[in-house]
């Protein structure tokens, strides 16, 4: 199995999602960033409003609408700390 990235999406009131993923994509004030396992440590300010996409093994993707907050990448994985985070409306396929 390929390396996995530990991801946590946390809002002020609750932990929204936690698990292993292949990649996370978020838009920061510096631009869109894709995070893979082994990424260098980083602290980024999320744009507002924004979306965070978590790409899981097997091609599944989780998308969250976030308002405010930060993206923190360290040796343990990536944490999205947002004022609010809700599952995005599924798109038609």
């Amino acid at each position: 199995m390929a390396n996995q990235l530990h991801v946590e999406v946390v809002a002020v009131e609750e932990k929204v999602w936690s698990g292993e993923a292949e990649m996370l994509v978020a838009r920061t004030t510096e631009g869109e960033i894709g995070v893979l396992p082994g990424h260098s440590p980083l602290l980024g300010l999320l744009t507002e409003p924004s979306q965070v996409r978590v790409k899981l093994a097997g091609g599944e993707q989780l998308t969250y609408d976030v308002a405010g907050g930060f993206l923190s990448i360290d040796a343990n994985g990536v944490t999205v700390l947002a004022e609010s985070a809700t599952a995005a409306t599924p798109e038609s396929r």
Side-chain angles (χ1 to χ4, degrees):
M1 175 177 259
N3 286 343
Q4 294 285 295
L5 177 69
H6 183 73
V7 175
E8 290 190 356
V9 178
V10 181
V12 172
E13 300 285 326
E14 65 181 328
K15 182 183 284 189
V16 177
W17 188 83
S18 180
E20 304 301 309
E22 290 185 345
M23 181 179 187
L24 177 130
V25 178
R27 184 171 301 277
T28 69
T29 56
E30 299 296 316
E32 191 165 79
I33 183 171
V35 182
L36 296 168
H39 195 287
S40 297
L42 176 93
L43 181 63
L45 180 63
L46 297 171
T47 59
E48 192 170 346
S50 188
Q51 280 194 334
V52 172
R53 298 185 309 274
V54 181
K55 298 184 180 188
L56 307 176
E60 185 182 355
Q61 178 173 287
L62 305 174
T63 304
Y64 296 95
D65 292 322
V66 298
F70 297 88
L71 172 75
S72 174
I73 304 167
D74 61 23
N76 298 319
V78 59
T79 303
V80 175
L81 303 165
E83 290 178 28
S84 68
T86 56
T89 305
E91 295 180 12
S92 305
R93 293 188 182 201

Coordinates of all heavy atoms in Angstrom, one line a residue:
M1 N 0.8 -1.2 0.0 CA 0.0 0.0 0.0 C 0.9 1.2 0.0 O 1.9 1.3 0.7 CB -0.9 0.0 1.2 CG -1.8 1.2 1.4 SD -2.9 1.1 2.8 CE -4.4 0.7 1.9
A2 N 0.5 2.2 -0.7 CA 1.3 3.5 -0.8 C 1.2 4.2 0.5 O 0.3 4.0 1.3 CB 0.7 4.4 -1.9
N3 N 2.1 5.1 0.7 CA 2.1 6.0 1.9 C 0.8 6.7 2.0 O 0.2 7.2 1.0 CB 3.2 7.0 1.9 CG 4.6 6.4 2.2 OD1 4.6 5.3 2.7 ND2 5.6 7.1 1.8
Q4 N 0.3 6.8 3.2 CA -1.0 7.6 3.5 C -0.7 8.8 4.3 O 0.3 8.8 5.1 CB -2.0 6.7 4.2 CG -2.5 5.5 3.3 CD -3.4 6.0 2.3 OE1 -4.5 6.4 2.5 NE2 -3.0 5.8 1.0
L5 N -1.5 9.8 4.2 CA -1.4 11.0 4.9 C -2.5 11.1 6.0 O -3.7 10.8 5.7 CB -1.6 12.2 3.9 CG -1.6 13.6 4.4 CD1 -0.2 14.0 4.8 CD2 -2.1 14.5 3.2
H6 N -2.1 11.3 7.2 CA -3.1 11.4 8.3 C -3.7 12.8 8.2 O -3.0 13.8 8.2 CB -2.6 11.2 9.7 CG -3.6 11.2 10.7 ND1 -4.6 10.2 10.8 CD2 -4.0 12.2 11.6 CE1 -5.4 10.5 11.8 NE2 -5.1 11.7 12.3
V7 N -5.1 12.9 8.1 CA -5.8 14.2 7.9 C -6.8 14.3 9.0 O -7.5 13.4 9.3 CB -6.5 14.2 6.5 CG1 -7.3 15.5 6.4 CG2 -5.5 14.1 5.4
E8 N -6.9 15.5 9.5 CA -7.9 15.9 10.5 C -8.6 17.2 10.0 O -7.8 18.2 9.7 CB -7.4 16.1 11.9 CG -7.0 14.8 12.5 CD -6.7 14.9 14.0 OE1 -6.7 16.0 14.5 OE2 -6.4 13.8 14.6
V9 N -9.9 17.2 9.9 CA -10.6 18.4 9.6 C -11.4 18.8 10.9 O -12.3 18.0 11.3 CB -11.6 18.2 8.4 CG1 -12.4 19.5 8.1 CG2 -10.8 17.8 7.1
V10 N -11.0 19.9 11.5 CA -11.6 20.3 12.8 C -12.2 21.7 12.7 O -11.6 22.6 12.2 CB -10.5 20.3 13.9 CG1 -11.0 20.6 15.2 CG2 -9.8 18.9 13.9
A11 N -13.5 21.8 13.2 CA -14.1 23.1 13.3 C -14.1 23.5 14.8 O -13.8 22.6 15.6 CB -15.6 23.0 12.8
V12 N -14.6 24.7 15.1 CA -14.6 25.2 16.4 C -15.4 24.2 17.3 O -15.0 23.9 18.4 CB -15.1 26.6 16.5 CG1 -15.3 27.1 17.9 CG2 -14.2 27.5 15.7
E13 N -16.5 23.8 16.9 CA -17.4 23.0 17.7 C -17.2 21.5 17.7 O -17.6 20.8 18.6 CB -18.9 23.2 17.2 CG -19.3 24.7 17.3 CD -19.6 25.1 18.7 OE1 -20.1 24.3 19.5 OE2 -19.3 26.3 19.0
E14 N -16.4 20.9 16.7 CA -16.3 19.5 16.6 C -15.2 19.1 15.6 O -14.8 19.8 14.8 CB -17.7 18.9 16.0 CG -18.0 19.4 14.6 CD -19.3 18.9 14.1 OE1 -19.7 17.7 14.4 OE2 -19.9 19.6 13.3
K15 N -14.8 17.8 15.8 CA -13.9 17.2 14.8 C -14.8 16.7 13.7 O -15.7 15.9 13.9 CB -13.2 16.0 15.4 CG -12.2 15.4 14.4 CD -11.5 14.2 15.0 CE -10.4 14.6 16.0 NZ -9.6 13.5 16.4
V16 N -14.7 17.2 12.5 CA -15.5 16.9 11.3 C -15.2 15.6 10.7 O -16.0 14.8 10.3 CB -15.5 18.1 10.3 CG1 -16.3 17.8 9.1 CG2 -15.9 19.4 11.0
W17 N -13.9 15.4 10.5 CA -13.4 14.1 9.8 C -12.0 13.9 10.2 O -11.2 14.8 10.3 CB -13.5 14.2 8.3 CG -13.3 12.9 7.6 CD1 -14.1 11.9 7.4 CD2 -12.0 12.5 7.0 NE1 -13.5 10.8 6.8 CE2 -12.2 11.2 6.5 CE3 -10.8 13.1 6.9 CZ2 -11.2 10.5 5.9 CZ3 -9.8 12.3 6.3 CH2 -10.0 11.1 5.8
S18 N -11.6 12.6 10.4 CA -10.3 12.2 10.7 C -10.0 10.9 10.0 O -10.9 10.0 10.1 CB -10.1 12.1 12.2 OG -8.7 11.7 12.4
G19 N -8.9 10.7 9.3 CA -8.6 9.5 8.7 C -7.3 9.6 7.8 O -6.6 10.6 7.8
E20 N -7.1 8.5 7.1 CA -6.0 8.4 6.2 C -6.4 8.8 4.8 O -7.5 8.4 4.3 CB -5.4 7.0 6.2 CG -5.0 6.5 7.6 CD -4.0 7.4 8.2 OE1 -3.0 7.7 7.6 OE2 -4.2 7.8 9.4
A21 N -5.6 9.5 4.0 CA -5.9 9.9 2.7 C -4.6 9.9 1.8 O -3.5 9.8 2.4 CB -6.4 11.3 2.7
E22 N -4.8 9.9 0.5 CA -3.7 10.0 -0.4 C -3.2 11.4 -0.6 O -2.0 11.6 -0.8 CB -4.1 9.4 -1.8 CG -4.3 7.9 -1.7 CD -4.5 7.3 -3.1 OE1 -4.9 8.0 -4.0 OE2 -4.4 6.0 -3.2
M23 N -4.1 12.4 -0.5 CA -3.8 13.8 -0.8 C -4.9 14.7 -0.2 O -6.0 14.3 -0.1 CB -3.7 14.0 -2.3 CG -3.4 15.3 -2.8 SD -3.3 15.4 -4.6 CE -2.6 17.0 -4.8
L24 N -4.5 15.9 0.1 CA -5.4 16.9 0.5 C -5.1 18.2 -0.3 O -3.9 18.5 -0.6 CB -5.2 17.3 2.0 CG -6.1 18.4 2.5 CD1 -6.8 18.0 3.8 CD2 -5.3 19.7 2.7
V25 N -6.2 18.8 -0.8 CA -6.0 20.1 -1.6 C -6.8 21.2 -0.9 O -8.0 21.0 -0.5 CB -6.6 19.9 -3.0 CG1 -6.5 21.2 -3.8 CG2 -5.8 18.8 -3.7
A26 N -6.1 22.3 -0.7 CA -6.8 23.5 0.0 C -6.3 24.7 -0.6 O -5.2 24.8 -1.2 CB -6.4 23.5 1.5
R27 N -7.1 25.8 -0.5 CA -6.8 27.1 -1.0 C -6.4 28.0 0.1 O -7.2 28.3 1.0 CB -7.9 27.7 -1.8 CG -7.5 29.1 -2.5 CD -8.5 29.6 -3.4 NE -8.8 28.7 -4.5 CZ -8.1 28.6 -5.6 NH1 -7.0 29.3 -5.8 NH2 -8.4 27.8 -6.6
T28 N -5.1 28.4 0.1 CA -4.6 29.4 1.1 C -4.5 30.8 0.5 O -4.7 30.9 -0.7 CB -3.2 28.9 1.6 OG1 -2.2 29.1 0.6 CG2 -3.2 27.5 2.1
T29 N -4.1 31.7 1.3 CA -3.9 33.1 0.8 C -2.8 33.2 -0.1 O -2.7 34.1 -0.9 CB -3.7 34.1 2.0 OG1 -2.6 33.6 2.8 CG2 -4.9 34.1 2.9
E30 N -1.9 32.2 -0.2 CA -0.8 32.1 -1.1 C -1.1 31.4 -2.4 O -0.3 31.3 -3.2 CB 0.4 31.5 -0.4 CG 0.9 32.3 0.8 CD 1.4 33.7 0.5 OE1 2.1 33.8 -0.5 OE2 1.1 34.6 1.2
G31 N -2.3 30.7 -2.4 CA -2.7 30.0 -3.6 C -3.1 28.6 -3.2 O -3.1 28.2 -2.0
E32 N -3.5 27.8 -4.2 CA -3.9 26.4 -3.9 C -2.7 25.5 -3.6 O -1.7 25.6 -4.3 CB -4.7 25.9 -5.1 CG -5.4 24.6 -4.8 CD -6.5 24.2 -5.8 OE1 -6.1 23.7 -6.9 OE2 -7.7 24.5 -5.6
I33 N -2.9 24.6 -2.7 CA -1.8 23.7 -2.3 C -2.3 22.3 -2.2 O -3.4 22.0 -1.8 CB -1.2 24.2 -0.9 CG1 0.0 23.3 -0.5 CG2 -2.2 24.1 0.2 CD1 0.8 23.7 0.7
G34 N -1.5 21.4 -2.8 CA -1.7 20.0 -2.7 C -0.8 19.4 -1.7 O 0.5 19.6 -1.8
V35 N -1.2 18.6 -0.8 CA -0.4 18.0 0.2 C -0.4 16.5 0.1 O -1.4 15.8 0.1 CB -0.9 18.4 1.7 CG1 0.0 17.8 2.7 CG2 -1.1 19.9 1.8
L36 N 0.8 16.0 -0.1 CA 1.0 14.5 -0.2 C 1.8 14.1 1.0 O 2.4 14.9 1.7 CB 1.8 14.2 -1.5 CG 1.2 14.5 -2.8 CD1 2.2 14.4 -3.9 CD2 0.0 13.6 -3.0
P37 N 1.9 12.7 1.3 CA 2.7 12.3 2.4 C 4.1 12.7 2.3 O 4.7 12.8 1.2 CB 2.6 10.7 2.3 CG 1.3 10.5 1.6 CD 1.2 11.6 0.6
G38 N 4.7 13.1 3.4 CA 6.1 13.6 3.4 C 6.3 15.1 3.0 O 7.4 15.5 2.9
H39 N 5.2 15.8 2.9 CA 5.3 17.2 2.6 C 6.0 18.0 3.7 O 6.0 17.6 4.9 CB 3.9 17.8 2.5 CG 3.8 19.1 1.9 ND1 4.2 20.3 2.5 CD2 3.3 19.5 0.7 CE1 4.0 21.3 1.7 NE2 3.5 20.9 0.6
S40 N 6.7 19.0 3.3 CA 7.5 19.8 4.3 C 6.5 20.5 5.3 O 5.4 20.9 4.9 CB 8.3 20.9 3.6 OG 9.2 20.3 2.7
P41 N 6.9 20.8 6.5 CA 6.1 21.5 7.5 C 5.6 22.9 6.9 O 6.4 23.5 6.3 CB 6.9 21.6 8.7 CG 7.9 20.5 8.6 CD 8.2 20.4 7.1
L42 N 4.4 23.2 7.2 CA 3.9 24.5 6.7 C 2.7 24.9 7.5 O 1.9 24.1 8.0 CB 3.4 24.3 5.2 CG 2.7 25.5 4.6 CD1 3.8 26.3 3.8 CD2 1.7 25.0 3.6
L43 N 2.5 26.2 7.7 CA 1.3 26.8 8.3 C 0.7 27.8 7.3 O 1.4 28.7 6.9 CB 1.7 27.5 9.6 CG 0.5 28.0 10.4 CD1 -0.5 27.0 10.8 CD2 1.0 28.8 11.6
G44 N -0.5 27.5 6.9 CA -1.1 28.4 5.9 C -2.5 28.9 6.4 O -3.2 28.3 7.1
L45 N -2.8 30.2 6.0 CA -4.0 30.8 6.2 C -5.0 30.4 5.1 O -4.7 30.7 4.0 CB -3.9 32.3 6.4 CG -5.1 33.1 6.7 CD1 -5.7 32.8 8.0 CD2 -4.7 34.6 6.6
L46 N -6.1 29.8 5.5 CA -7.1 29.5 4.4 C -7.9 30.7 3.9 O -8.1 31.6 4.7 CB -8.1 28.5 5.0 CG -7.6 27.1 5.4 CD1 -8.6 26.3 6.2 CD2 -7.1 26.3 4.2
T47 N -8.2 30.7 2.6 CA -9.0 31.8 2.1 C -10.4 31.6 2.6 O -10.8 30.6 3.1 CB -9.0 31.8 0.6 OG1 -9.5 30.6 0.1 CG2 -7.6 32.1 0.0
E48 N -11.2 32.7 2.5 CA -12.6 32.6 3.0 C -13.5 33.2 2.0 O -13.3 34.3 1.6 CB -12.6 33.4 4.3 CG -13.9 33.2 5.1 CD -13.9 33.7 6.5 OE1 -12.8 34.1 7.0 OE2 -15.0 33.8 7.0
P49 N -14.5 32.5 1.6 CA -14.8 31.1 1.9 C -13.9 30.2 1.0 O -13.3 30.7 0.1 CB -16.3 30.9 1.5 CG -16.5 31.9 0.4 CD -15.6 33.1 0.7
S50 N -13.8 28.9 1.4 CA -12.9 28.0 0.7 C -13.5 26.6 0.7 O -14.5 26.3 1.4 CB -11.6 28.1 1.3 OG -10.6 27.4 0.6
Q51 N -12.8 25.7 0.0 CA -13.1 24.3 0.0 C -11.8 23.5 0.3 O -10.8 24.0 -0.1 CB -13.7 23.8 -1.3 CG -15.2 24.1 -1.4 CD -15.8 23.3 -2.5 OE1 -15.2 22.9 -3.5 NE2 -17.1 23.1 -2.4
V52 N -12.0 22.4 1.0 CA -10.9 21.5 1.3 C -11.3 20.2 0.7 O -12.4 19.7 0.9 CB -10.6 21.4 2.8 CG1 -9.6 20.3 3.0 CG2 -10.1 22.7 3.3
R53 N -10.4 19.6 -0.2 CA -10.7 18.3 -0.8 C -9.8 17.3 -0.3 O -8.6 17.5 -0.3 CB -10.6 18.5 -2.3 CG -11.6 19.4 -2.9 CD -11.6 19.5 -4.4 NE -10.3 19.7 -5.0 CZ -9.7 20.8 -5.3 NH1 -10.3 22.0 -4.9 NH2 -8.6 20.9 -5.9
V54 N -10.3 16.2 0.2 CA -9.6 15.1 0.8 C -9.7 13.9 -0.2 O -10.8 13.4 -0.4 CB -10.1 14.6 2.2 CG1 -9.2 13.5 2.7 CG2 -10.1 15.8 3.1
K55 N -8.6 13.5 -0.8 CA -8.6 12.4 -1.8 C -8.2 11.1 -1.1 O -7.1 11.0 -0.7 CB -7.7 12.7 -3.0 CG -8.2 14.0 -3.7 CD -7.4 14.3 -4.9 CE -8.0 15.6 -5.5 NZ -7.4 15.9 -6.8
L56 N -9.2 10.2 -1.1 CA -9.0 8.9 -0.4 C -8.5 7.8 -1.4 O -8.6 8.0 -2.6 CB -10.3 8.4 0.2 CG -11.0 9.4 1.1 CD1 -12.3 8.9 1.6 CD2 -10.1 9.8 2.3
A57 N -8.0 6.8 -0.9 CA -7.6 5.6 -1.7 C -8.8 5.1 -2.5 O -9.9 5.1 -1.9 CB -7.0 4.5 -0.8
G58 N -8.6 4.7 -3.7 CA -9.7 4.2 -4.5 C -10.4 5.2 -5.3 O -11.4 4.9 -5.9
G59 N -9.9 6.5 -5.2 CA -10.5 7.5 -6.0 C -11.6 8.3 -5.4 O -12.1 9.3 -5.9
E60 N -12.1 7.9 -4.2 CA -13.2 8.7 -3.5 C -12.6 10.0 -3.0 O -11.5 10.1 -2.7 CB -13.7 7.9 -2.3 CG -14.9 8.5 -1.7 CD -15.4 7.7 -0.5 OE1 -14.9 6.6 -0.2 OE2 -16.3 8.3 0.2
Q61 N -13.5 11.0 -3.1 CA -13.1 12.4 -2.6 C -14.1 12.9 -1.7 O -15.3 12.9 -1.9 CB -12.9 13.3 -3.8 CG -12.6 14.7 -3.4 CD -12.2 15.6 -4.6 OE1 -11.2 15.4 -5.2 NE2 -13.1 16.5 -5.0
L62 N -13.7 13.5 -0.6 CA -14.5 14.2 0.4 C -14.3 15.7 0.2 O -13.1 16.1 0.1 CB -14.2 13.8 1.8 CG -14.2 12.3 2.1 CD1 -13.8 12.1 3.5 CD2 -15.6 11.8 1.9
T63 N -15.3 16.5 0.2 CA -15.2 17.9 0.0 C -15.9 18.7 1.1 O -17.0 18.3 1.4 CB -15.7 18.4 -1.4 OG1 -15.1 17.7 -2.4 CG2 -15.5 19.9 -1.6
Y64 N -15.2 19.6 1.7 CA -15.8 20.4 2.8 C -15.7 21.9 2.5 O -14.7 22.4 2.0 CB -15.0 20.1 4.1 CG -15.1 18.7 4.6 CD1 -14.1 17.8 4.2 CD2 -16.2 18.3 5.3 CE1 -14.2 16.5 4.6 CE2 -16.3 17.0 5.7 CZ -15.3 16.1 5.3 OH -15.5 14.7 5.7
D65 N -16.8 22.6 2.8 CA -16.8 24.0 2.7 C -16.3 24.5 4.0 O -16.9 24.2 5.1 CB -18.3 24.5 2.4 CG -18.8 24.1 1.0 OD1 -18.0 24.2 0.1 OD2 -20.0 23.8 0.9
V66 N -15.3 25.4 4.0 CA -14.7 25.9 5.2 C -14.8 27.4 5.3 O -14.7 28.1 4.2 CB -13.3 25.4 5.5 CG1 -13.3 23.9 5.6 CG2 -12.4 25.9 4.4
A67 N -14.9 28.0 6.4 CA -14.9 29.4 6.6 C -13.8 29.7 7.6 O -13.8 29.2 8.8 CB -16.2 29.9 7.1
G68 N -12.8 30.5 7.2 CA -11.7 30.9 8.1 C -10.9 29.8 8.5 O -11.2 28.6 8.4
G69 N -9.8 30.1 9.1 CA -8.9 29.0 9.7 C -7.6 28.9 9.1 O -7.1 29.7 8.3
F70 N -6.9 27.8 9.5 CA -5.6 27.5 9.1 C -5.4 26.1 8.6 O -6.2 25.2 8.9 CB -4.6 27.7 10.3 CG -4.6 29.1 10.9 CD1 -5.5 29.5 11.8 CD2 -3.7 30.0 10.4 CE1 -5.5 30.8 12.3 CE2 -3.6 31.3 10.9 CZ -4.5 31.7 11.8
L71 N -4.3 25.9 7.9 CA -3.9 24.5 7.5 C -2.5 24.3 8.1 O -1.6 25.2 8.0 CB -3.7 24.5 5.9 CG -3.1 23.3 5.3 CD1 -4.1 22.2 5.3 CD2 -2.7 23.7 3.9
S72 N -2.3 23.2 8.9 CA -1.1 23.0 9.5 C -0.6 21.6 9.1 O -1.2 20.6 9.2 CB -1.3 22.9 11.1 OG -0.1 22.5 11.7
I73 N 0.7 21.6 8.5 CA 1.3 20.4 8.0 C 2.5 20.2 8.9 O 3.4 21.0 9.1 CB 1.7 20.5 6.6 CG1 0.5 20.9 5.7 CG2 2.4 19.2 6.1 CD1 0.9 21.4 4.3
D74 N 2.6 18.9 9.4 CA 3.8 18.5 10.2 C 4.1 17.1 9.9 O 3.5 16.5 9.0 CB 3.6 18.8 11.7 CG 2.5 18.1 12.3 OD1 2.1 17.0 11.8 OD2 2.0 18.5 13.4
A75 N 5.1 16.5 10.6 CA 5.5 15.1 10.4 C 4.4 14.1 10.6 O 4.4 13.0 10.1 CB 6.7 14.8 11.3
N76 N 3.4 14.5 11.4 CA 2.3 13.6 11.7 C 1.1 13.6 10.7 O 0.2 12.8 10.8 CB 1.7 13.9 13.1 CG 2.7 13.7 14.2 OD1 3.5 12.8 14.2 ND2 2.8 14.6 15.1
G77 N 1.2 14.6 9.8 CA 0.1 14.7 8.8 C -0.4 16.2 8.6 O 0.4 17.1 8.8
V78 N -1.6 16.3 8.3 CA -2.2 17.7 8.0 C -3.4 17.9 8.8 O -4.3 17.0 8.9 CB -2.4 17.9 6.5 CG1 -3.3 16.9 6.0 CG2 -2.9 19.3 6.2
T79 N -3.6 19.0 9.4 CA -4.8 19.4 10.2 C -5.3 20.7 9.6 O -4.6 21.7 9.4 CB -4.4 19.6 11.7 OG1 -3.8 18.4 12.2 CG2 -5.7 19.9 12.5
V80 N -6.6 20.7 9.3 CA -7.4 21.8 8.9 C -8.1 22.3 10.1 O -9.0 21.6 10.7 CB -8.3 21.5 7.8 CG1 -9.2 22.8 7.4 CG2 -7.6 21.0 6.5
L81 N -7.8 23.5 10.6 CA -8.5 24.1 11.8 C -9.3 25.3 11.3 O -8.8 26.3 10.9 CB -7.4 24.7 12.8 CG -6.4 23.6 13.3 CD1 -5.3 24.3 13.9 CD2 -7.1 22.7 14.2
A82 N -10.6 25.1 11.2 CA -11.5 26.1 10.6 C -12.5 26.6 11.6 O -12.9 25.9 12.6 CB -12.2 25.4 9.4
E83 N -13.0 27.8 11.3 CA -14.1 28.3 12.2 C -15.4 27.5 12.0 O -16.1 27.2 12.9 CB -14.4 29.8 11.8 CG -13.3 30.7 12.3 CD -13.5 32.1 11.9 OE1 -14.7 32.5 11.8 OE2 -12.5 32.8 11.7
S84 N -15.6 27.1 10.7 CA -16.7 26.1 10.4 C -16.3 25.3 9.2 O -15.6 25.7 8.4 CB -18.0 26.9 10.1 OG -17.9 27.6 8.9
A85 N -16.8 24.1 9.2 CA -16.5 23.1 8.2 C -17.7 22.2 8.0 O -18.1 21.5 9.0 CB -15.3 22.3 8.4
T86 N -18.3 22.2 6.8 CA -19.5 21.3 6.5 C -19.2 20.6 5.2 O -18.6 21.1 4.3 CB -20.8 22.2 6.4 OG1 -20.6 23.2 5.4 CG2 -21.1 22.8 7.8
A87 N -19.8 19.4 5.1 CA -19.7 18.6 3.9 C -20.3 19.4 2.8 O -21.4 20.0 2.9 CB -20.3 17.3 4.1
A88 N -19.6 19.5 1.6 CA -20.1 20.2 0.5 C -21.3 19.4 -0.1 O -21.3 18.2 0.0 CB -19.0 20.5 -0.5
T89 N -22.2 20.1 -0.8 CA -23.2 19.4 -1.6 C -22.6 18.6 -2.6 O -21.8 19.0 -3.4 CB -24.2 20.4 -2.2 OG1 -24.6 21.3 -1.2 CG2 -25.3 19.8 -2.9
P90 N -23.0 17.3 -2.7 CA -22.4 16.4 -3.7 C -22.8 16.9 -5.1 O -23.9 17.3 -5.4 CB -23.1 15.0 -3.5 CG -23.7 15.1 -2.1 CD -23.9 16.6 -1.8
E91 N -21.8 16.8 -6.0 CA -22.0 17.2 -7.4 C -22.6 16.1 -8.2 O -22.4 14.9 -7.9 CB -20.7 17.6 -8.1 CG -20.1 18.8 -7.4 CD -18.7 19.2 -8.1 OE1 -18.4 18.6 -9.1 OE2 -18.0 20.0 -7.5
S92 N -23.4 16.4 -9.2 CA -24.0 15.4 -10.1 C -22.9 14.7 -10.9 O -21.9 15.3 -11.3 CB -25.0 16.0 -11.0 OG -25.9 16.7 -10.3
R93 N -23.0 13.4 -11.0 CA -22.0 12.7 -11.8 C -22.5 12.3 -13.1 O -23.6 12.1 -13.4 CB -21.5 11.4 -11.0 CG -20.8 11.8 -9.8 CD -20.2 10.7 -9.1 NE -19.6 11.1 -7.9 CZ -18.6 10.5 -7.3 NH1 -18.2 9.3 -7.8 NH2 -18.1 10.9 -6.2

